[in-house]
Amino acid sequence: MRKTTSLLLALAIGAFAPQPAYAVERLAVGATFSNIFEEGRDGQWRGLGVDVLRLLAARAGDTIRFQLYPWPRAQAMVERAQADILVGPYQSPERLLRFAFLDQPFYRDRLVFYARRDSAPPWQGDLTALKPHRLAAVRGWHYGAQFDRARKLLDVSEVSQLENGLQMLAHGRVELLATNQRNSTALINNLHLDGALTLLCPDITQLDGYLAFPRDPKFSAVRARYNVLFTEMVRSGELARLGARNGVLVPAADTARPAASCADQRG
């Protein structure tokens, strides 16, 4: 009887004792972004976003899994809370209604126009002056407030992938392609189009890329936890070091590493 009573008491105490925390697997999704979010042919994940998320997940006591999707689908998955984290979106008024962004960005991009070397339209930074010309832009990408305001005045064809836009430009189906310099440089080289295409100055704009969570309230706690951990990463200089290792411009490093000018990096 005494043994039975002791066993019941031990079970009762155990029921109210703190239970060990179990790691939660977080699904991070996005499209292939050069030096940000890439899966190599060897199956290994690489890029600044991958490095940052692995560290954040480990420090939060989570595990992390990565998946590539077309960019519109990746956005829809996070908006519907079918995935935990969207890797790399720029902010826009529309996206602020769809996603819960971390407070600080983890990289900075130069948004630019590419044209054919033998027939580049004049570009001096005035989007309205491009009304007579045929443009292409990647579906689901954000190009900044100025581009959004001018878009209804322009002849813009949307392409599903950046590669499609580059091929359209190279074959003369459009005169200008709006894209970002980081994603475009390596792809242009891989497609052997570097002799045919050129980057135009000045930049359309520069935009920052973020990590974003679903707006569903059940993600509020994890977003807040990752936000604190990421802020510590920025303040310590760790993000700047990771950016340098991946060859990506990091906003936190601006004072020590000024943004390259358009003329410095023609694709």
Side-chain angles (χ1 to χ4, degrees), residues 41-65:
R41 293 181 179 178
D42 56 2
Q44 298 300 307
W45 289 90
R46 301 181 179 89
L48 178 59
V50 173
D51 289 349
V52 167
L53 278 170
R54 280 178 172 156
L55 289 172
L56 292 178
R59 292 166 187 175
D62 295 336
T63 60
I64 191 82
R65 179 164 60 94

Side-chain angles (χ1 to χ4, degrees), residues 78-99:
V78 174
E79 184 177 12
R80 297 167 185 165
Q82 296 169 341
D84 300 84
I85 304 166
L86 182 63
V87 182
Y90 309 140
Q91 285 189 356
S92 70
E94 179 260 347
R95 287 179 180 173
L96 287 168
L97 299 176
R98 298 169 60 200
F99 308 115

